[in-house]
Amino acid sequence: MRPVHVAAAQLGPIQKAEPREAVVARMLALLDAAADKGCDLVVYPELALTTFFPRWYMEDQAEVDTWFEAEMPNAATQPLFDAAKAKGVAISFGYAELTPDGHHFNTSILTDKTGTIIGKYRKVHLPGHDEFDPERAFQHLEKRYFEPGDLGFPVWQTLGGVFGMCICNDRRWPETYRVMGLQGVEMVLLGYNTPSVNSQKSAEGPEDRLFHHRLVLQSGAYQNATFVVAVAKAGVEDGHPLIGGSVIVDPNGKIVAESLTEDDELVTAVCDLDETVFGKETIFDFARHRRIEHYGRITSQTGVEVAS
Amino acid sequence: MRPVHVAAAQLGPIQKAEPREAVVARMLALLDAAADKGCDLVVYPELALTTFFPRWYMEDQAEVDTWFEAEMPNAATQPLFDAAKAKGVAISFGYAELTPDGHHFNTSILTDKTGTIIGKYRKVHLPGHDEFDPERAFQHLEKRYFEPGDLGFPVWQTLGGVFGMCICNDRRWPETYRVMGLQGVEMVLLGYNTPSVNSQKSAEGPEDRLFHHRLVLQSGAYQNATFVVAVAKAGVEDGHPLIGGSVIVDPNGKIVAESLTEDDELVTAVCDLDETVFGKETIFDFARHRRIEHYGRITSQTGVEVAS
């Protein structure tokens, strides 16, 4: 038994006008509740500190930068790190990162139980577009405000196991899980802000969006014999609805816990990392079964190449 | 509209003593029924001509070779090709292939509507083991009787679209779909023989097996915006149960048709290949979104490498 008691700390909506300090207060309340339940690890959503600002078109870079964090921890988030240390709980959350040399990333971090950052991930698969798109029902400007992550998909040994991170749209790409799976990942942590309607296809509403969301998490977990903890920012932000559906998925691809609301909500499970062993040693024993000589296109070509 | 009317021609069990001619007669009956419905393409299971012989441990290679086909078409299967031509229906089915130079593959072929073979695929991901395993509830000796396929995952332009094939366990590997997706595949055809119970974990029964089966098909379809047609050999062969669950999955990952029995059964759907376009041009526009610089491990390492 290698139990990790994990909490998916779903956040309800954050309005554009809501300051970071108010959000951190909500995150602290969830952290307290998780600590009271005996959790080892609390996972918050992508861009947890603010509204999902990539829905807003901005031309002034100074305005854009107000949504970013130039340091982590900083004044607004220091209480989170202090509480993690005081409670002896590891945390993970996402934020918009502005580096000292002016780069912009959609980032998440992982701490140990002393509130020390031990891992950083920068979102690789940025969805959306980079210019104002009048054809869309609403904007999704991640490709405008962020650069693609430059750290790959590392994993970290902590809490008795092997942990990885990804963010939102990364979860739709099997490469995400596989690169971590090839490093023996046992629990993948991810946050997301997923609009309830496809901005380019209004018929694709929350039911379909939740279906796809669960489908990719469950298959990624099963195909790599890993737990996956997926945490929503949910509910209606300034008129824009986001799906909930925070889930903890086991290495069989089964959902073991799921949120019931679109508000601040704690979803918890005790995950025995030894449950990853059977899959990794049998049907997904990569060393015995993978045939990399036939996978070349996956890394040699980016887009589709149709034979003539 | 680029409609392809496809039939998943599920086969019920084939007992060890049942000759190929009797199986082909059943396949012809399904072909006739599909032609009567106006189908363009009929897809049969993996190793469609015989029982799933890799469950039987054999040491005599001459005995092993009795389960293989040295030519295709051959005397037993010529009626299938003749009927395909006469009815103007393309077909795909799996068989054990013995090449003129003595290689053994788990193979499937695709014909056009004149009964001419236009595509051949050899199973890449062989499950199971190569020596008798007394720990298992039953044997699964694919690694003993077959070599891994040597043709990769090609696709073929036919019936107005781009078609690919894979076989059984290939469907659990996201690399399978992705290599075809990178060639613009619009419909993946696959047959399978999947035991209803995990030979190494008796608690994993038909419900779990069907769950994993659907999960990997649906995610593979969604993540590559392709139809997937998956066809079972089902039912109890000489006391060994195989799952049914033949399905046609659309490019949204939704099941549009599914078998109801574990017997010979036709599952049909009209699939508009233009339904693949939206996914390929938006969320899964590979050229815009994939980041191959971070996928290196997928092709550079076969097994897990845990950082020290």
Side-chain angles (χ1 to χ4, degrees), chain A residues 220-276:
Chain A
Y222 169 61
Q223 291 171 327
N224 295 279
T226 179
F227 288 93
V228 174
V229 179
V231 189
K233 177 128 71 58
V236 181
E237 294 188 336
D238 297 291
H240 295 272
L242 301 167
I243 60 168
S246 299
V247 290
I248 300 170
V249 183
D250 77 14
N252 260 312
K254 301 285 183 76
I255 292 173
V256 294
E258 185 159 15
S259 63
L260 300 171
T261 75
E262 293 183 350
D263 295 319
D264 294 5
E265 180 182 349
L266 215 55
V267 178
T268 66
V270 177
C271 300
D272 178 5
L273 300 184
D274 281 342
E275 288 180 22
T276 66

Short mmCIF file of all heavy atoms in Angstrom, two decimals, chain A residues 220-276:
data_model
loop_
_atom_site.label_atom_id
_atom_site.label_comp_id
_atom_site.label_asym_id
_atom_site.label_seq_id
_atom_site.Cartn_x
_atom_site.Cartn_y
_atom_site.Cartn_z
N GLY A 220 -6.47 8.09 -20.99
CA GLY A 220 -5.09 8.40 -20.63
C GLY A 220 -4.65 7.66 -19.37
O GLY A 220 -3.52 7.17 -19.29
N ALA A 221 -5.55 7.57 -18.40
CA ALA A 221 -5.25 6.84 -17.16
C ALA A 221 -5.05 5.35 -17.45
O ALA A 221 -4.04 4.75 -17.06
CB ALA A 221 -6.37 7.05 -16.15
N TYR A 222 -6.01 4.76 -18.16
CA TYR A 222 -5.95 3.32 -18.45
C TYR A 222 -4.71 2.97 -19.27
O TYR A 222 -3.98 2.03 -18.94
CB TYR A 222 -7.23 2.92 -19.19
CG TYR A 222 -7.21 1.54 -19.78
CD1 TYR A 222 -7.06 0.41 -18.98
CD2 TYR A 222 -7.35 1.36 -21.16
CE1 TYR A 222 -7.04 -0.86 -19.54
CE2 TYR A 222 -7.35 0.09 -21.72
CZ TYR A 222 -7.18 -1.02 -20.90
OH TYR A 222 -7.17 -2.27 -21.47
N GLN A 223 -4.47 3.72 -20.34
CA GLN A 223 -3.41 3.35 -21.28
C GLN A 223 -2.01 3.55 -20.71
O GLN A 223 -1.03 3.09 -21.30
CB GLN A 223 -3.58 4.15 -22.58
CG GLN A 223 -4.82 3.72 -23.35
CD GLN A 223 -5.15 4.61 -24.53
OE1 GLN A 223 -4.92 5.81 -24.49
NE2 GLN A 223 -5.71 4.02 -25.58
N ASN A 224 -1.92 4.23 -19.57
CA ASN A 224 -0.63 4.41 -18.91
C ASN A 224 -0.64 3.90 -17.47
O ASN A 224 0.34 4.09 -16.75
CB ASN A 224 -0.23 5.89 -18.96
CG ASN A 224 0.01 6.34 -20.39
OD1 ASN A 224 1.08 6.11 -20.94
ND2 ASN A 224 -1.00 6.94 -21.02
N ALA A 225 -1.74 3.26 -17.09
CA ALA A 225 -1.86 2.69 -15.75
C ALA A 225 -1.46 3.71 -14.69
O ALA A 225 -0.58 3.48 -13.87
CB ALA A 225 -1.05 1.40 -15.62
N THR A 226 -2.14 4.85 -14.72
CA THR A 226 -1.85 5.92 -13.77
C THR A 226 -3.15 6.52 -13.23
O THR A 226 -4.18 6.48 -13.91
CB THR A 226 -1.03 7.04 -14.45
OG1 THR A 226 -0.78 8.09 -13.50
CG2 THR A 226 -1.75 7.65 -15.64
N PHE A 227 -3.09 7.05 -12.03
CA PHE A 227 -4.18 7.89 -11.56
C PHE A 227 -4.14 9.22 -12.30
O PHE A 227 -3.07 9.70 -12.69
CB PHE A 227 -4.05 8.15 -10.05
CG PHE A 227 -4.37 6.97 -9.19
CD1 PHE A 227 -3.37 6.10 -8.77
CD2 PHE A 227 -5.68 6.71 -8.79
CE1 PHE A 227 -3.65 4.99 -7.99
CE2 PHE A 227 -5.98 5.60 -8.00
CZ PHE A 227 -4.97 4.74 -7.60
N VAL A 228 -5.31 9.82 -12.48
CA VAL A 228 -5.41 11.17 -13.03
C VAL A 228 -6.35 11.97 -12.15
O VAL A 228 -7.46 11.50 -11.84
CB VAL A 228 -5.93 11.16 -14.49
CG1 VAL A 228 -6.15 12.58 -14.99
CG2 VAL A 228 -4.95 10.43 -15.42
N VAL A 229 -5.89 13.13 -11.73
CA VAL A 229 -6.71 14.03 -10.90
C VAL A 229 -6.95 15.30 -11.72
O VAL A 229 -6.00 16.03 -12.03
CB VAL A 229 -6.00 14.37 -9.58
CG1 VAL A 229 -6.84 15.31 -8.74
CG2 VAL A 229 -5.66 13.09 -8.81
N ALA A 230 -8.20 15.54 -12.08
CA ALA A 230 -8.54 16.65 -12.98
C ALA A 230 -9.48 17.61 -12.26
O ALA A 230 -10.50 17.19 -11.72
CB ALA A 230 -9.21 16.11 -14.24
N VAL A 231 -9.10 18.88 -12.25
CA VAL A 231 -9.77 19.84 -11.38
C VAL A 231 -10.26 21.04 -12.19
O VAL A 231 -9.46 21.73 -12.84
CB VAL A 231 -8.81 20.32 -10.27
CG1 VAL A 231 -9.57 21.14 -9.25
CG2 VAL A 231 -8.11 19.14 -9.62
N ALA A 232 -11.54 21.30 -12.10
CA ALA A 232 -12.17 22.37 -12.86
C ALA A 232 -12.14 23.70 -12.14
O ALA A 232 -12.25 23.77 -10.92
CB ALA A 232 -13.64 22.03 -13.14
N LYS A 233 -12.03 24.76 -12.95
CA LYS A 233 -12.67 26.03 -12.57
C LYS A 233 -14.01 25.99 -13.31
O LYS A 233 -14.04 25.84 -14.53
CB LYS A 233 -11.85 27.23 -12.96
CG LYS A 233 -12.56 28.53 -12.63
CD LYS A 233 -11.71 29.47 -11.81
CE LYS A 233 -10.60 30.03 -12.67
NZ LYS A 233 -11.15 30.74 -13.86
N ALA A 234 -15.08 26.12 -12.57
CA ALA A 234 -16.42 25.82 -13.08
C ALA A 234 -17.37 26.99 -12.88
O ALA A 234 -17.06 27.95 -12.17
CB ALA A 234 -16.97 24.58 -12.37
N GLY A 235 -18.50 26.89 -13.54
CA GLY A 235 -19.55 27.87 -13.33
C GLY A 235 -19.44 29.05 -14.28
O GLY A 235 -18.64 29.06 -15.21
N VAL A 236 -20.24 30.09 -14.01
CA VAL A 236 -20.41 31.18 -14.96
C VAL A 236 -19.55 32.38 -14.56
O VAL A 236 -19.79 33.01 -13.54
CB VAL A 236 -21.90 31.59 -15.05
CG1 VAL A 236 -22.07 32.72 -16.07
CG2 VAL A 236 -22.76 30.39 -15.42
N GLU A 237 -18.55 32.66 -15.40
CA GLU A 237 -17.69 33.82 -15.19
C GLU A 237 -18.13 34.95 -16.12
O GLU A 237 -17.98 34.82 -17.35
CB GLU A 237 -16.22 33.46 -15.46
CG GLU A 237 -15.65 32.45 -14.47
CD GLU A 237 -14.14 32.23 -14.62
OE1 GLU A 237 -13.59 32.48 -15.71
OE2 GLU A 237 -13.52 31.80 -13.62
N ASP A 238 -18.65 36.01 -15.56
CA ASP A 238 -19.08 37.17 -16.37
C ASP A 238 -19.90 36.73 -17.58
O ASP A 238 -19.66 37.18 -18.71
CB ASP A 238 -17.85 37.98 -16.81
CG ASP A 238 -17.08 38.56 -15.62
OD1 ASP A 238 -17.62 39.47 -14.95
OD2 ASP A 238 -15.97 38.08 -15.34
N GLY A 239 -20.82 35.83 -17.35
CA GLY A 239 -21.71 35.39 -18.42
C GLY A 239 -21.21 34.22 -19.25
O GLY A 239 -21.93 33.71 -20.11
N HIS A 240 -19.98 33.76 -18.98
CA HIS A 240 -19.37 32.68 -19.77
C HIS A 240 -19.33 31.39 -18.95
O HIS A 240 -18.55 31.30 -18.01
CB HIS A 240 -17.96 33.08 -20.21
CG HIS A 240 -17.95 34.24 -21.16
ND1 HIS A 240 -18.07 34.08 -22.52
CD2 HIS A 240 -17.87 35.58 -20.94
CE1 HIS A 240 -18.05 35.27 -23.11
NE2 HIS A 240 -17.91 36.19 -22.17
N PRO A 241 -20.11 30.39 -19.31
CA PRO A 241 -20.16 29.16 -18.50
C PRO A 241 -18.99 28.23 -18.77
O PRO A 241 -18.55 28.05 -19.90
CB PRO A 241 -21.47 28.50 -18.95
CG PRO A 241 -21.68 28.99 -20.34
CD PRO A 241 -21.09 30.39 -20.41
N LEU A 242 -18.50 27.63 -17.69
CA LEU A 242 -17.44 26.62 -17.74
C LEU A 242 -17.97 25.32 -17.15
O LEU A 242 -18.71 25.35 -16.15
CB LEU A 242 -16.22 27.07 -16.91
CG LEU A 242 -15.54 28.38 -17.30
CD1 LEU A 242 -14.58 28.84 -16.20
CD2 LEU A 242 -14.79 28.23 -18.62
N ILE A 243 -17.58 24.18 -17.74
CA ILE A 243 -18.01 22.90 -17.19
C ILE A 243 -17.36 22.65 -15.83
O ILE A 243 -16.29 23.18 -15.53
CB ILE A 243 -17.68 21.71 -18.11
CG1 ILE A 243 -16.18 21.57 -18.38
CG2 ILE A 243 -18.47 21.78 -19.40
CD1 ILE A 243 -15.77 20.25 -19.04
N GLY A 244 -18.04 21.80 -15.03
CA GLY A 244 -17.45 21.29 -13.80
C GLY A 244 -16.80 19.95 -14.11
O GLY A 244 -15.94 19.85 -14.97
N GLY A 245 -17.25 18.91 -13.40
CA GLY A 245 -16.78 17.57 -13.73
C GLY A 245 -15.39 17.25 -13.24
O GLY A 245 -14.69 16.42 -13.85
N SER A 246 -14.98 17.85 -12.13
CA SER A 246 -13.69 17.46 -11.53
C SER A 246 -13.75 15.98 -11.15
O SER A 246 -14.72 15.54 -10.54
CB SER A 246 -13.42 18.30 -10.28
OG SER A 246 -13.35 19.67 -10.61
N VAL A 247 -12.70 15.25 -11.52
CA VAL A 247 -12.72 13.80 -11.28
C VAL A 247 -11.37 13.29 -10.81
O VAL A 247 -10.32 13.86 -11.12
CB VAL A 247 -13.11 12.99 -12.53
CG1 VAL A 247 -14.57 13.18 -12.89
CG2 VAL A 247 -12.20 13.31 -13.70
N ILE A 248 -11.45 12.18 -10.10
CA ILE A 248 -10.26 11.38 -9.80
C ILE A 248 -10.47 10.05 -10.50
O ILE A 248 -11.49 9.38 -10.29
CB ILE A 248 -10.08 11.22 -8.28
CG1 ILE A 248 -9.91 12.60 -7.62
CG2 ILE A 248 -8.89 10.30 -7.97
CD1 ILE A 248 -9.96 12.59 -6.10
N VAL A 249 -9.52 9.70 -11.38
CA VAL A 249 -9.62 8.49 -12.19
C VAL A 249 -8.55 7.52 -11.75
O VAL A 249 -7.41 7.92 -11.50
CB VAL A 249 -9.44 8.83 -13.69
CG1 VAL A 249 -9.62 7.60 -14.57
CG2 VAL A 249 -10.40 9.94 -14.13
N ASP A 250 -8.90 6.24 -11.67
CA ASP A 250 -7.92 5.24 -11.23
C ASP A 250 -7.19 4.62 -12.42
O ASP A 250 -7.52 4.91 -13.58
CB ASP A 250 -8.59 4.20 -10.31
CG ASP A 250 -9.43 3.18 -11.07
OD1 ASP A 250 -9.32 3.07 -12.31
OD2 ASP A 250 -10.19 2.46 -10.40
N PRO A 251 -6.17 3.80 -12.17
CA PRO A 251 -5.35 3.27 -13.28
C PRO A 251 -6.09 2.29 -14.19
O PRO A 251 -5.55 1.89 -15.22
CB PRO A 251 -4.19 2.56 -12.57
CG PRO A 251 -4.17 3.13 -11.19
CD PRO A 251 -5.59 3.45 -10.87
N ASN A 252 -7.31 1.92 -13.81
CA ASN A 252 -8.16 1.14 -14.70
C ASN A 252 -9.01 2.01 -15.60
O ASN A 252 -9.81 1.51 -16.39
CB ASN A 252 -9.09 0.23 -13.88
CG ASN A 252 -8.56 -1.17 -13.81
OD1 ASN A 252 -8.18 -1.73 -14.84
ND2 ASN A 252 -8.51 -1.73 -12.62
N GLY A 253 -8.89 3.32 -15.43
CA GLY A 253 -9.71 4.24 -16.21
C GLY A 253 -11.08 4.49 -15.60
O GLY A 253 -11.92 5.14 -16.21
N LYS A 254 -11.28 4.01 -14.39
CA LYS A 254 -12.57 4.19 -13.73
C LYS A 254 -12.57 5.48 -12.90
O LYS A 254 -11.58 5.80 -12.24
CB LYS A 254 -12.87 3.02 -12.78
CG LYS A 254 -12.90 1.65 -13.45
CD LYS A 254 -14.16 1.44 -14.25
CE LYS A 254 -14.21 0.03 -14.84
NZ LYS A 254 -14.54 -1.02 -13.86
N ILE A 255 -13.69 6.17 -12.93
CA ILE A 255 -13.87 7.37 -12.10
C ILE A 255 -14.19 6.94 -10.68
O ILE A 255 -15.18 6.24 -10.45
CB ILE A 255 -14.98 8.26 -12.69
CG1 ILE A 255 -14.53 8.85 -14.03
CG2 ILE A 255 -15.37 9.37 -11.70
CD1 ILE A 255 -15.60 9.61 -14.78
N VAL A 256 -13.35 7.38 -9.74
CA VAL A 256 -13.58 6.98 -8.34
C VAL A 256 -14.22 8.10 -7.53
O VAL A 256 -14.76 7.85 -6.45
CB VAL A 256 -12.28 6.48 -7.67
CG1 VAL A 256 -11.81 5.19 -8.33
CG2 VAL A 256 -11.18 7.52 -7.70
N ALA A 257 -14.16 9.34 -8.01
CA ALA A 257 -14.82 10.45 -7.32
C ALA A 257 -15.04 11.56 -8.33
O ALA A 257 -14.23 11.76 -9.24
CB ALA A 257 -13.96 10.95 -6.16
N GLU A 258 -16.14 12.29 -8.19
CA GLU A 258 -16.50 13.32 -9.17
C GLU A 258 -17.27 14.44 -8.48
O GLU A 258 -18.05 14.19 -7.56
CB GLU A 258 -17.36 12.69 -10.28
CG GLU A 258 -17.68 13.66 -11.42
CD GLU A 258 -18.08 12.94 -12.71
OE1 GLU A 258 -18.38 11.73 -12.66
OE2 GLU A 258 -18.09 13.60 -13.76
N SER A 259 -17.04 15.66 -8.91
CA SER A 259 -17.73 16.79 -8.29
C SER A 259 -19.22 16.79 -8.65
O SER A 259 -19.62 16.26 -9.69
CB SER A 259 -17.09 18.11 -8.72
OG SER A 259 -17.21 18.29 -10.11
N LEU A 260 -19.99 17.39 -7.78
CA LEU A 260 -21.45 17.42 -7.97
C LEU A 260 -21.94 18.81 -8.32
O LEU A 260 -23.08 18.98 -8.73
CB LEU A 260 -22.14 16.96 -6.67
CG LEU A 260 -21.78 15.55 -6.21
CD1 LEU A 260 -22.34 15.29 -4.81
CD2 LEU A 260 -22.33 14.53 -7.19
N THR A 261 -21.11 19.83 -8.14
CA THR A 261 -21.54 21.21 -8.30
C THR A 261 -20.66 21.92 -9.33
O THR A 261 -19.74 21.32 -9.89
CB THR A 261 -21.42 21.98 -6.97
OG1 THR A 261 -20.03 22.26 -6.73
CG2 THR A 261 -21.98 21.19 -5.81
N GLU A 262 -20.96 23.19 -9.55
CA GLU A 262 -20.06 24.06 -10.32
C GLU A 262 -19.52 25.17 -9.41
O GLU A 262 -19.20 26.27 -9.86
CB GLU A 262 -20.79 24.62 -11.55
CG GLU A 262 -21.15 23.53 -12.56
CD GLU A 262 -21.80 24.05 -13.83
OE1 GLU A 262 -22.17 25.25 -13.88
OE2 GLU A 262 -21.96 23.25 -14.76
N ASP A 263 -19.42 24.87 -8.14
CA ASP A 263 -18.93 25.82 -7.14
C ASP A 263 -17.63 25.30 -6.52
O ASP A 263 -17.15 24.23 -6.87
CB ASP A 263 -19.98 26.00 -6.04
CG ASP A 263 -21.24 26.63 -6.56
OD1 ASP A 263 -21.15 27.58 -7.37
OD2 ASP A 263 -22.33 26.16 -6.17
N ASP A 264 -17.10 26.07 -5.58
CA ASP A 264 -15.99 25.58 -4.77
C ASP A 264 -16.42 24.25 -4.15
O ASP A 264 -17.49 24.17 -3.51
CB ASP A 264 -15.66 26.58 -3.65
CG ASP A 264 -15.11 27.91 -4.17
OD1 ASP A 264 -15.06 28.11 -5.40
OD2 ASP A 264 -14.74 28.75 -3.33
N GLU A 265 -15.63 23.22 -4.37
CA GLU A 265 -16.03 21.89 -3.90
C GLU A 265 -14.80 21.01 -3.79
O GLU A 265 -13.94 21.03 -4.67
CB GLU A 265 -17.03 21.27 -4.87
CG GLU A 265 -17.50 19.87 -4.45
CD GLU A 265 -18.47 19.23 -5.44
OE1 GLU A 265 -18.97 19.92 -6.35
OE2 GLU A 265 -18.72 18.02 -5.28
N LEU A 266 -14.76 20.22 -2.75
CA LEU A 266 -13.65 19.31 -2.53
C LEU A 266 -14.07 17.90 -2.94
O LEU A 266 -15.09 17.39 -2.48
CB LEU A 266 -13.29 19.33 -1.04
CG LEU A 266 -11.85 19.18 -0.61
CD1 LEU A 266 -10.95 20.22 -1.26
CD2 LEU A 266 -11.79 19.29 0.92
N VAL A 267 -13.28 17.28 -3.81
CA VAL A 267 -13.51 15.89 -4.24
C VAL A 267 -12.29 15.11 -3.81
O VAL A 267 -11.17 15.44 -4.22
CB VAL A 267 -13.66 15.83 -5.77
CG1 VAL A 267 -13.86 14.39 -6.24
CG2 VAL A 267 -14.81 16.72 -6.23
N THR A 268 -12.48 14.10 -2.99
CA THR A 268 -11.31 13.43 -2.42
C THR A 268 -11.36 11.92 -2.63
O THR A 268 -12.43 11.34 -2.77
CB THR A 268 -11.18 13.71 -0.91
OG1 THR A 268 -12.28 13.11 -0.23
CG2 THR A 268 -11.16 15.21 -0.62
N ALA A 269 -10.19 11.33 -2.60
CA ALA A 269 -10.08 9.87 -2.65
C ALA A 269 -8.72 9.46 -2.09
O ALA A 269 -7.74 10.19 -2.24
CB ALA A 269 -10.23 9.35 -4.07
N VAL A 270 -8.69 8.31 -1.48
CA VAL A 270 -7.42 7.71 -1.10
C VAL A 270 -7.00 6.82 -2.27
O VAL A 270 -7.68 5.86 -2.61
CB VAL A 270 -7.55 6.88 0.19
CG1 VAL A 270 -6.21 6.21 0.51
CG2 VAL A 270 -8.01 7.76 1.34
N CYS A 271 -5.87 7.18 -2.89
CA CYS A 271 -5.39 6.47 -4.07
C CYS A 271 -4.18 5.64 -3.67
O CYS A 271 -3.16 6.20 -3.25
CB CYS A 271 -5.01 7.46 -5.16
SG CYS A 271 -6.38 8.52 -5.69
N ASP A 272 -4.28 4.34 -3.82
CA ASP A 272 -3.13 3.47 -3.53
C ASP A 272 -2.30 3.36 -4.81
O ASP A 272 -2.70 2.72 -5.78
CB ASP A 272 -3.62 2.10 -3.08
CG ASP A 272 -2.46 1.14 -2.82
OD1 ASP A 272 -1.28 1.57 -2.90
OD2 ASP A 272 -2.74 -0.04 -2.54
N LEU A 273 -1.13 3.99 -4.79
CA LEU A 273 -0.31 4.01 -6.00
C LEU A 273 0.11 2.60 -6.44
O LEU A 273 0.46 2.41 -7.61
CB LEU A 273 0.92 4.90 -5.79
CG LEU A 273 0.62 6.37 -5.47
CD1 LEU A 273 1.92 7.17 -5.38
CD2 LEU A 273 -0.32 7.01 -6.47
N ASP A 274 0.05 1.64 -5.54
CA ASP A 274 0.35 0.26 -5.94
C ASP A 274 -0.68 -0.29 -6.92
O ASP A 274 -0.42 -1.29 -7.59
CB ASP A 274 0.46 -0.65 -4.71
CG ASP A 274 1.81 -0.50 -4.01
OD1 ASP A 274 2.76 0.02 -4.64
OD2 ASP A 274 1.92 -0.92 -2.85
N GLU A 275 -1.83 0.36 -7.02
CA GLU A 275 -2.82 -0.07 -8.02
C GLU A 275 -2.34 0.17 -9.45
O GLU A 275 -2.94 -0.34 -10.39
CB GLU A 275 -4.16 0.66 -7.81
CG GLU A 275 -4.92 0.19 -6.59
CD GLU A 275 -6.24 0.93 -6.43
OE1 GLU A 275 -6.76 1.47 -7.42
OE2 GLU A 275 -6.74 0.98 -5.28
N THR A 276 -1.28 0.95 -9.60
CA THR A 276 -0.75 1.17 -10.96
C THR A 276 0.11 -0.01 -11.43
O THR A 276 0.39 -0.13 -12.62
CB THR A 276 0.14 2.43 -11.02
OG1 THR A 276 1.32 2.22 -10.22
CG2 THR A 276 -0.60 3.66 -10.51
#
